[in-house]
Amino acid sequence: MIVYIMGYLLSIGIAYSSNLVKDYKIRKIIFLLSSVLFIIVSAIRYDVGTDYNARYVPDYYSVVNGEKIGNLEPLFYGLIKVCTFFSSEPYLLFAITSIFIYLLFFKSIEDNSKCWMLSITIFFIAGFFFQSMNLVRQFIAMGIIMYAHKFLLDKSKGKKMFFILCIIVATLIHTISLIYLILLFLKKRKIHILLLGAVMIIVTVFGDQIVKYGFDIFRSSNIANIQKYAGYFRQRGEITWSLLISEGLIYVFMYVFNRKENSNDKKNLYTNIQALGLLSVVMSARIELFSRLSGLFFVFQIISIPYFMQDDYDIYIKFKNRKISLKKIGLGLIIVIYLVRIIYSVVFNGVYDVLPYQTIFSIL
């Protein structure tokens, strides 16, 4: 973990130094440079991440040998094809995808976050960085949507169409990104917590029927990359209670601090995205596919939590004649949960297969 922690600390140091610069354009450039540490750690890794040798290396060699890969999206297939012109080894692919992922995420943070350093911290301690070295295609697609969601909130003519275009591009990299079309309907008002509870009950009662219906839809498709999701619908999942409790706390945090009096489209969007992530965790007990869908929504915490923290509205409680910010208490609990979760999963249970860290130079 030393390499990862050092990369994070150096990244935070560069991000902090950007605040010392008065010129806003230069400050933005310096901040984007803080992504370089994550790029380097990811780009030169070797056999780090579950899918490194399980998916991407075999796919790369298949393309090198002229084989067709039916369940690989066309844009990502095209990226591999371009890389094979320069090298028959897959190392270039991981370098390029690392650049794409972290520049997209850091550009999104620079554009949308109210606290750059808090966003980087969440990106790291919430485990998104470690996930990105496993779910490479998915994180490129999520990075595109994270960057593009500002156009969804822009009332200028044509911006919504550009957001839809970004969804199409993301889908051509990872099919699951099509789910982001639902964001078009989430910014007007926040989903009522009772409605969320009702949906959860319906899923619990009619779970088997939902599985059968979803399976039939995906199985009937003639597209190999869509047919593979039929198998996911048949896979029974199990609910992760620690994840349900922690993500439920974050949802309550957003719901409480999104009052009708101070609400806006951005707060509604972020609150509803978290609600969908929470619902996906519940549904993953019936359908394994929803465990992956939840990550598509939870990744927005990188910018949504700092946004809520910087909002003026707060609730104070009195303790020994002192006023204590409930918002700061909530953030403290969220950070503790992130830390406990990442230590337990990554360090002790080896989730994402990012430990031990090794580089391509150790095998050259």
Side-chain angles (χ1 to χ4, degrees):
M1 282 292 287
I2 294 177
V3 171
Y4 299 128
I5 293 172
M6 289 299 298
Y8 159 71
L9 291 176
L10 288 171
S11 178
I12 283 288
I14 295 172
Y16 177 78
S17 68
S18 69
N19 293 324
L20 306 178
V21 179
K22 293 183 179 180
D23 188 295
Y24 187 63
K25 289 183 179 180
I26 296 177
R27 193 169 75 182
K28 289 168 67 174
I29 293 171
I30 294 174
F31 173 74
L32 287 177
L33 287 174
S34 64
S35 67
V36 171
L37 282 306
F38 289 107
I39 290 172
I40 292 173
V41 170
S42 178
I44 65 173
R45 73 189 191 276
Y46 174 74
D47 196 14
V48 173
T50 306
D51 285 352
Y52 187 99
N53 275 320
R55 177 73 201 261
Y56 294 108
V57 169
D59 281 354
Y60 194 91
Y61 287 135
S62 294
V63 175
V64 169
N65 295 327
E67 300 173 17
K68 293 289 184 180
I69 307 173
N71 63 351
L72 193 64
E73 291 81 358
L75 282 186
F76 197 81
Y77 178 87
L79 176 61
I80 295 178
K81 195 72 176 176
V82 170
C83 290
T84 60
F85 285 124
F86 299 95
S87 174
S88 60
E89 296 297 329
Y91 312 129
L92 179 61
L93 175 67
F94 292 107
I96 291 176
T97 54
S98 297
I99 293 170
F100 281 156
I101 291 171
Y102 305 116
L103 282 182
L104 282 167
F105 271 90
F106 274 69
K107 180 58 179 172
S108 178
I109 291 171
E110 184 252 296
D111 285 345
N112 301 285
S113 177
K114 294 289 186 179
C115 181
W116 291 347
M117 287 186 289
L118 178 57
S119 287
I120 296 174
T121 298
I122 293 172
F123 178 66
F124 183 71
I125 67 173
F128 298 118
F129 172 59
F130 300 109
Q131 293 174 33
S132 71
M133 291 190 287
N134 176 16
L135 309 171
V136 174
R137 287 158 37 244
Q138 184 169 319
F139 265 79
I140 294 175
M142 289 194 299
I144 292 171
I145 302 302
M146 284 275 287
Y147 169 74
H149 90 282
K150 64 181 180 180
F151 300 110
L152 175 62
L153 296 163
D154 195 317
K155 292 180 170 54
S156 302
K157 188 176 180 180
K159 296 296 186 181
K160 186 179 290 187
M161 287 305 301
F162 184 77
F163 176 72
I164 294 173
L165 177 62
C166 287
I167 292 177
I168 294 171
V169 172
T171 302
L172 293 174
I173 294 172
H174 199 292
T175 309
I176 205 170
S177 305
L178 199 61
I179 194 69
Y180 279 124
L181 284 171
I182 200 172
L183 269 58
L184 294 167
F185 311 101
L186 297 182
K187 65 179 184 177
K188 291 304 179 185
R189 58 175 58 89
K190 65 180 178 182
I191 298 173
H192 199 283
I193 194 168
L194 293 179
L195 177 61
L196 179 65
V199 173
M200 290 177 177
I201 292 172
I202 291 170
V203 169
T204 302
V205 175
F206 299 102
D208 291 334
Q209 290 89 335
I210 293 172
V211 169
K212 185 179 183 304
Y213 183 70
F215 179 80
D216 290 341
I217 290 175
F218 283 102
R219 186 178 57 180
S220 63
S221 171
N222 292 322
I223 303 173
N225 198 46
I226 294 179
Q227 277 187 336
K228 69 180 181 182
Y229 290 103
Y232 293 149
F233 262 91
R234 279 298 191 192
Q235 292 177 18
R236 284 276 185 162
E238 60 179 27
I239 201 162
T240 306
W241 288 102
S242 60
L243 186 64
L244 180 65
I245 293 169
S246 60
E247 298 301 342
L249 173 65
I250 295 172
Y251 172 67
V252 171
F253 173 83
M254 293 181 183
Y255 193 91
V256 168
F257 291 106
N258 184 9
R259 294 193 315 166
K260 186 176 181 180
E261 295 82 1
N262 72 335
S263 188
N264 56 42
D265 286 354
K266 185 172 281 191
K267 280 187 176 181
N268 289 333
L269 179 65
Y270 291 156
T271 304
N272 291 337
I273 287 174
Q274 181 65 21
L276 288 178
L278 186 61
L279 179 61
S280 296
V281 172
V282 175
M283 293 181 71
S284 67
R286 289 280 188 173
I287 308 168
E288 174 63 25
L289 175 63
F290 282 94
S291 63
R292 178 165 292 195
L293 284 179
S294 65
L296 297 176
F297 301 121
F298 290 149
V299 74
F300 276 86
Q301 293 168 11
I302 296 169
I303 51 179
S304 62
I305 291 176
Y307 183 80
F308 276 91
M309 283 304 301
Q310 293 299 312
D311 184 67
D312 291 335
Y313 173 65
D314 201 348
I315 299 173
Y316 294 91
I317 57 176
K318 284 189 176 181
F319 181 74
K320 293 184 178 180
N321 297 321
R322 294 180 61 185
K323 289 173 61 178
I324 302 174
S325 166
L326 191 61
K327 188 180 285 187
K328 290 181 179 179
I329 292 175
L331 178 63
L333 284 173
I334 290 170
I335 290 175
V336 169
I337 288 171
Y338 280 151
L339 287 171
V340 170
R341 202 165 67 186
I342 201 67
I343 292 171
Y344 177 77
S345 61
V346 173
V347 178
F348 291 111
N349 286 314
V351 176
Y352 312 129
D353 292 316
V354 295
L355 292 176
Y357 177 77
Q358 54 187 350
T359 73
I360 57 174
F361 302 111
S362 63
I363 53 100
L364 293 178

